[in-house]
């Protein structure tokens, strides 16, 4: 090999080396961001799913009241209340559900629906 040819190969290698190092870092950085985004999405999804279950119980309770089934409404509101027990940040929602149950016990379906709708607003 000629001296000129060796110089060209060395210069080419020196030019390619930083590109390879940078591209490897970019791929690793991209993979890290994708992993972090997926974990955040999964955590948010879990919270939303839990709230959706509570909202469905509340909706079911309201529908039961509207259909004249106060016992069915009580069951639905109890399910919502149980789902809220381990969530101290949603204590106001739990109090609204408790107020709905008390109103049902007292025979005041309008108040029960109003409290249930307020609870639902806090979850959306």
């Amino acid at each position: 090999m000629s001296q000129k040819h060796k110089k060209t190969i060395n210069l080419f290698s020196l030019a390619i080396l930083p590109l390879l190092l940078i591209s490897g870092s970019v791929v690793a950085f991209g993979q890290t961001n994708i992993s972090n985004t997926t974990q955040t999405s999964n955590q948010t999804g879990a919270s939303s799913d839990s709230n959706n279950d509570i909202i469905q119980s509340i909706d079911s309770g309201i529908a039961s009241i509207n259909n004249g089934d106060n016992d069915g409404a009580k069951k639905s509101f109890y399910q919502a209340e149980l789902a809220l027990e381990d969530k101290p940040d949603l204590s106001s929602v739990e109090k609204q559900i408790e107020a709905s149950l008390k109103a049902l016990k007292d025979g005041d379906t309008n108040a029960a629906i109003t409290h249930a709708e307020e609870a639902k607003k806090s979850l959306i």
Side-chain angles (χ1 to χ4, degrees), residues 5-66:
H5 189 62
K6 285 182 182 180
K7 260 187 175 177
T8 305
I9 290 174
N10 284 339
L11 287 175
F12 181 74
S13 297
L14 288 174
I16 293 292
L17 183 63
L19 292 174
L20 292 173
L21 292 173
I22 290 171
S23 67
S25 297
V26 170
V27 170
F29 178 75
Q31 289 172 344
T32 301
N33 281 345
I34 289 170
S35 297
N36 290 343
T37 302
T38 303
Q39 287 174 349
T40 302
S41 296
N42 288 342
Q43 291 170 352
T44 304
S47 176
S48 297
D49 289 344
S50 178
N51 285 353
N52 286 340
D53 291 344
I54 297 166
I55 290 169
Q56 286 176 346
S57 293
I58 293 170
D59 284 340
S60 176
I62 292 170
S64 293
I65 292 170
N66 288 329

Side-chain angles (χ1 to χ4, degrees), residues 76-90:
S76 294
F77 291 152
Y78 281 127
Q79 285 178 333
E81 190 177 22
L82 286 173
L84 288 163
E85 282 188 2
D86 293 333
K87 298 183 178 193
D89 57 321
L90 297 176

